[in-house]
Amino acid sequence: MKIENLTIAYTNKNILKNINIEIKPGDFVFLIGNSGSWKTSLIKALIWDLKPKWWKIFDSLWRDIYDFSLKELTKYRRTIWVIFQDYKLLKSKNVKENVAFAMEVCWYNDKQISQKVPEVLSQVWLLNKKNNFIDTLSGWEAQRIAIARALIHNPEMIIWDEPTWNLDPHNAEEIMSILLELNKAWKTIIIATHDDKIVNRLKKRVITFKEWIIFSDIEWGSYNL
Ligand SMILES: Nc1ncnc2c1ncn2[C@@H]1O[C@H](COP(=O)(O)OP(=O)(O)OP(=O)(O)O)[C@@H](O)[C@H]1O
Ligand SMILES: [Mg+2]
């Protein structure tokens, strides 16, 4: 994916200017920056949830995503999967049904659903809890359902807005292990975070947002605001 000269704004006052980022397949990238430094808004722009003022955003086939028809956009949105903080789980359904539901609304058939659900649940170490209801799960088990739902469509890229914000340090490490494993299997991972410990330990690429620009983009970076 390549972002060229992206500018986003909600009002005339505060504007994220001239962003240029190239993400290669298999990259593992942290987005860091103080609160209000445009991390979430940039992620929204990448999936057309927020329309930039000026932009060039190219997908892996070098097509500008803002030229997409609705059908192409739906397809594109399955290749990059975004997990926002408020991922919604259905309390009246169990683990397995929550994942199946995410497939039903995307028109997968019963056979595909019965094949895929156990596969993605085992990828996030949740197969043994498949019949548990949501309110009997810990926060981080619930969070893994969000990853399972992302994996349904076999996306090229998973973008996660603050995956560890409500987790204790141990579970934060565990969720990172899952993401690292997926990254080894060639999924591109982008994580917006305030978690300095994780960023400093993993030493991955770090893109820092500061003063309404990309302040730095460092290959083996650390949490340095
Ligand atoms: N829907 C909206 N309408 C108007 N302004 C908004 C909207 N959402 C965000 N903003 C503003 O855009 C700027 C960037 O916000 P954004 O949420 O992208 O920051 P962030 O880096 O994700 O912050 P945090 O680390 O707290 O999640 C902020 O000035 C914010 O107040
Ligand atoms: Mg945010």
Side-chain angles (χ1 to χ4, degrees), residues 22-38:
E22 187 170 351
I23 309 270
K24 298 206 179 66
D27 271 357
F28 194 116
V29 186
F30 287 113
L31 309 178
I32 69 166
N34 290 332
S35 199
S37 61
W38 293 90

Side-chain angles (χ1 to χ4, degrees), residues 47-222:
I47 52 166
W48 246 51
D49 214 18
L50 166 68
K51 188 158 183 186
K53 285 204 144 176
W54 294 278
W55 66 85
K56 286 240 174 282
I57 302 180
F58 301 103
D59 71 351
S60 55
L61 298 173
W62 293 97
R63 297 169 304 180
D64 188 334
I65 69 163
Y66 284 88
D67 289 338
F68 282 170
S69 65
L70 197 58
K71 203 172 150 198
E72 287 169 321
L73 182 63
T74 309
K75 231 168 137 188
Y76 165 77
R77 278 181 166 162
R78 289 181 188 180
T79 66
I80 63 170
W81 197 263
V82 180
I83 306 172
F84 288 105
Q85 276 180 9
D86 61 344
Y87 55 87
K88 292 181 181 66
L89 299 177
L90 302 159
K91 291 225 166 78
S92 60
K93 295 185 189 288
N94 65 28
V95 170
K96 186 177 72 197
E97 291 161 347
N98 261 281
V99 178
F101 181 73
M103 294 187 77
E104 282 157 24
V105 297
C106 291
W107 306 104
Y108 287 88
N109 64 37
D110 288 351
K111 189 168 166 232
Q112 290 168 316
I113 293 175
S114 59
Q115 268 176 0
K116 198 76 185 175
V117 171
E119 185 190 315
V120 296
L121 284 179
S122 82
Q123 274 180 288
V124 298
W125 318 334
L126 266 184
L127 205 50
N128 60 338
K129 302 246 166 157
K130 65 177 194 287
N131 295 317
N132 288 42
F133 280 87
I134 299 305
D135 44 14
T136 68
L137 301 176
S138 71
W140 101 274
E141 284 166 339
Q143 221 143 1
R144 280 183 281 160
I145 301 178
I147 309 183
R149 290 201 299 202
L151 293 174
I152 289 168
H153 312 291
N154 198 22
E156 295 164 19
M157 186 186 283
I158 296 176
I159 306 179
W160 200 334
D161 200 3
E162 303 197 31
T164 61
W165 71 280
N166 60 352
L167 298 179
D168 69 40
H170 174 70
N171 291 339
E173 289 288 341
E174 299 249 49
I175 214 132
M176 282 301 145
S177 312
I178 294 180
L179 293 174
L180 285 166
E181 242 168 64
L182 292 170
N183 181 241
K184 270 193 208 144
W186 277 97
K187 296 230 181 288
T188 307
I189 309 285
I190 300 179
I191 296 170
T193 188
H194 291 279
D195 194 330
D196 53 339
K197 287 195 192 67
I198 297 275
V199 174
N200 287 334
R201 199 179 64 72
L202 295 189
K203 297 189 181 60
K204 298 288 186 184
R205 180 172 168 196
V206 177
I207 298 178
T208 305
F209 292 77
K210 202 170 172 178
E211 290 153 15
W212 300 285
I213 53 164
I214 287 188
F215 193 77
S216 62
D217 183 348
I218 297 172
E219 202 58 46
W220 291 284
S222 56

